[in-house]
Amino acid sequence: MQALHSLFAGSSSSSSLTAELNAQIITALYDYLPNENDLQPVLAWLAVMEKAHVSLSRIQSGLCVGHLPRVFSTTMNCFLSPHSQVISMAAQTLKTLLKECVGPNMAEIGPIKSTDAPGPASYVCKMFR
């Protein structure tokens, strides 16, 4: 997890990490999702997923927005953890994703209505269902 965290934290251009590879790694990380009761592994997983999504947003925001509903849903489950550190990290992760991945792209996403056709705005609606 530390190597992946460093990869995403250091990727400032698409030449070192393509959007497609970034998205594939995000998808693969769900296979290694720890139980919300496992303190250190879940903290590491949340940190890596946060960095991965922020990195993807910088490379290709539209692709990132498509990945947000799943990470939001998964991160919400962390609020069921008995560990206050996991709950705090989950809240911080969601806040960062909204600030770094959704906020800067609101002009591209456009108005959000629950009846929107598939697209960036519908992904934002799915994040809160």
Side-chain angles (χ1 to χ4, degrees):
M1 287 290 177
Q2 189 174 11
L4 289 173
H5 187 276
S6 296
L7 172 69
F8 293 123
S11 66
S12 59
S13 70
S14 60
S15 63
S16 61
L17 182 66
T18 65
E20 292 77 19
L21 180 57
N22 193 321
Q24 288 173 349
I25 293 170
I26 288 171
T27 301
L29 282 170
Y30 287 101
D31 291 337
Y32 300 97
L33 175 64
N35 184 293
E36 65 268 1
N37 296 324
D38 295 335
L39 181 60
Q40 293 304 320
V42 78
L43 292 176
W45 190 88
L46 286 168
V48 169
M49 290 301 272
E50 177 185 306
K51 290 291 186 190
H53 284 81
V54 170
S55 172
L56 182 57
S57 180
R58 289 184 181 139
I59 299 169
Q60 190 174 336
S61 63
L63 185 57
C64 177
V65 170
H67 281 268
L68 290 177
R70 187 173 182 191
V71 75
F72 262 69
S73 175
T74 304
T75 303
M76 290 298 287
N77 288 331
C78 293
F79 287 112
L80 301 173
S81 174
H83 301 289
S84 61
Q85 300 98 318
V86 171
I87 295 167
S88 177
M89 181 68 164
Q92 184 59 45
T93 297
L94 294 175
K95 181 179 175 181
T96 300
L97 293 176
L98 286 170
K99 182 179 177 185
E100 300 290 330
C101 301
V102 177
N105 300 304
M106 283 307 297
E108 180 183 325
I109 292 170
I112 298 171
K113 302 174 198 150
S114 61
T115 59
D116 274 346
S122 71
Y123 295 131
V124 174
C125 284
K126 288 179 185 178
M127 288 166 36
F128 298 102
R129 287 188 186 156

